[in-house]
Structures are given as structure tokens and as C-alpha cells.
């Protein structure tokens, strides 16, 4: 077949080399979702997000090239482009007062003095919010867009909606937010300039 001859020839278009190198079984002459590798998790500890490219593509036999199509051309459910990820839990904040023994010894006598002058206690005495009686709230927040799915000829990018904690704005597990209040993510076009020759 002309498959091998073209693969070895130096003038073969990049796409055909890419096609052979990837040897992606899902790449066919029917429109298909082609899924990229997951990015690294955005947070080293606690919940972050990871992204990947998911493009509707078709392999054109006659030109031996891969062409990107609008998602509407691919059948089936589009695979996820964003997922919550957790590399490891963050170190918990110590809640037990015993952990602060070494600090307390110095403070013991000066406590009244500290309070009377209105100077706050050392900041490293973290009191868990639950003890103060403040209820932690979680809400959805729009946080930019995914990477553009194409470098040229028009790609798409989706808005990223994250669940955040109101006390410190840190990204938390989406199950903590009310799914009914989650705003719809929307897709916009990007890089809609012609490809370089």
C-alpha cells in the first residue's frame, strides 16, 4: 500500500507522520473524539483540576491527514476535558491545644497583658473555625477557560467553574457546593485565525 512509502518519505505531511506515530486505533474515517493526555494536577495538595484536549477529528484517507471538526459532527457523549484531581491531602491544621504547649508556656503570664493592650495573640495559634461558630460556606466561582483546543483555524475553550471555600477562596471538592446552583459552563471559540502555511 502507499501507507509505508509515504511514511518513510521525508516530504510526508506532519499529520500523517503523527497519525502513524500515535497509531491511535480510534482514529478513523468516521468522526471521532480524540482525547489528549491529562495535564498535571493544578494543586500539589488538596483538590485541584486537571485538563486534557478532547477534539472531534476525522482521518481523511485521500490526503492522509487528520482534520478537526465541530463537536456536533461526532456522535456519542464528549469525554470530559476537566476533572477534579487530588495528588495528596494537605497537611491538616492542628486543632488540639496540646500542640501549642511550647508556645503557651511563654504566653501563660502575659495573656492578660496581651488582651488588655488589644494586641492579638500570635497568628500561629490557629483556632478552627468550627470552634468560633463561624459556618464555612462553599460557592461556585468561574475561573477562566480551558486551553484552546486548536492552535489555529478556530478551536473552542470551555469556562472552568470551581467550587471554592468562602473563608480563604481555596478550591475544594465540587461535592461541597450545591450542584443546583452551579452556573452553566459555556464554550467560546478561540484562535480563529488561519493556520500558517
Amino acid at each position: 500500500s502507499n501507507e509505508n512509502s509515504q511514511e518513510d518519505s521525508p516530504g510526508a505531511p506532519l499529520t500523517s507522520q503523527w497519525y502513524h506515530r500515535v497509531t491511535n486505533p480510534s482514529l478513523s474515517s468516521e468522526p471521532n473524539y480524540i482525547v489528549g493526555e491529562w495535564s498535571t494536577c493544578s494543586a500539589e495538595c488538596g483538590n485541584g483540576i486537571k485538563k486534557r484536549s478532547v477534539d472531534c477529528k476525522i482521518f481523511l484517507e485521500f490526503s492522509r491527514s487528520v482534520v478537526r471538526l465541530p463537536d456536533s459532527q461526532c456522535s456519542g457523549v464528549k469525554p470530559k476535558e476537566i476533572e477534579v484531581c487530588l495528588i495528596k491531602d494537605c497537611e491538616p491544621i492542628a486543632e488540639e491545644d496540646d500542640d501549642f504547649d511550647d508556645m503557651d508556656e511563654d504566653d501563660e503570664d502575659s495573656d492578660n497583658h496581651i488582651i488588655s493592650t488589644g494586641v492579638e495573640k500570635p497568628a500561629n495559634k490557629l483556632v478552627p473555625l468550627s470552634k468560633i461558630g463561624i459556618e464555612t460556606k462553599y460557592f461556585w466561582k468561574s475561573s477562566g477557560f480551558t486551553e484552546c483546543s486548536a492552535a489555529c483555524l478556530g478551536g473552542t475553550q470551555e469556562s472552568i467553574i470551581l467550587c471554592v471555600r468562602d473563608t480563604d477562596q481555596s478550591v475544594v471538592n465540587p461535592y461541597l457546593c450545591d450542584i443546583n446552583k452551579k452556573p452553566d459552563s459555556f464554550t467560546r471559540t478561540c484562535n480563529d485565525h488561519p493556520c500558517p502555511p
Side-chain angles (χ1 to χ4, degrees):
S1 71
N2 63 356
E3 206 166 282
N4 299 330
S5 60
Q6 184 153 27
E7 186 182 22
D8 302 332
S9 72
L14 257 177
T15 41
S16 78
Q17 289 174 358
W18 174 84
Y19 168 69
H20 288 296
R21 198 165 59 242
V22 173
T23 59
N24 192 329
S26 57
L27 211 47
S28 71
S29 46
E30 291 292 312
N32 252 307
Y33 283 118
I34 306 298
V35 176
E37 292 287 316
W38 283 111
S39 67
T40 49
C41 197
S42 64
E44 287 184 16
C45 74
N47 282 307
I49 55 166
K50 57 180 182 175
K51 307 175 200 168
R52 62 180 176 180
S53 62
V54 178
D55 295 323
C56 180
K57 289 184 174 173
I58 188 168
F59 179 63
L60 300 178
E61 285 291 339
F62 66 91
S63 64
R64 307 213 63 70
S65 61
V66 179
V67 176
R68 200 170 162 274
L69 299 172
D71 289 349
S72 55
Q73 300 295 308
C74 276
S75 56
V77 179
K78 183 174 184 176
K80 277 190 199 165
E81 290 181 278
I82 306 176
E83 219 167 65
V84 172
C85 51
L86 173 68
I87 294 177
K88 63 176 190 248
D89 286 322
C90 294
E91 293 298 315
I93 295 167
E95 293 200 10
E96 294 307 316
D97 290 332
D98 309 358
D99 294 349
F100 300 118
D101 271 357
D102 46 335
M103 286 191 290
D104 282 347
E105 284 162 20
D106 310 340
D107 291 354
E108 217 67 68
D109 305 317
S110 55
D111 259 7
N112 298 334
H113 162 73
I114 289 179
I115 292 164
S116 62
T117 54
V119 177
E120 286 183 26
K121 288 191 177 186
N124 46 5
K125 275 204 153 183
L126 290 167
V127 181
L129 294 168
S130 52
K131 286 192 182 172
I132 309 172
I134 296 174
E135 187 190 350
T136 309
K137 291 191 170 63
Y138 304 99
F139 60 93
W140 297 106
K141 182 180 176 187
S142 179
S143 173
F145 287 84
T146 59
E147 283 174 48
C148 193
S149 61
C152 53
L153 274 187
T156 55
Q157 49 187 175
E158 213 169 308
S159 59
I160 300 171
I161 312 289
L162 300 174
C163 180
V164 295
R165 187 166 44 216
D166 64 351
T167 49
D168 58 0
Q169 301 290 302
S170 62
V171 177
V172 294
N173 194 310
Y175 300 116
L176 292 169
C177 284
D178 183 350
I179 191 69
N180 298 318
K181 293 182 179 166
K182 183 176 183 180
D184 290 337
S185 65
F186 60 93
T187 305
R188 68 180 185 183
T189 54
C190 47
N191 292 342
D192 50 359
H193 49 78
C195 291

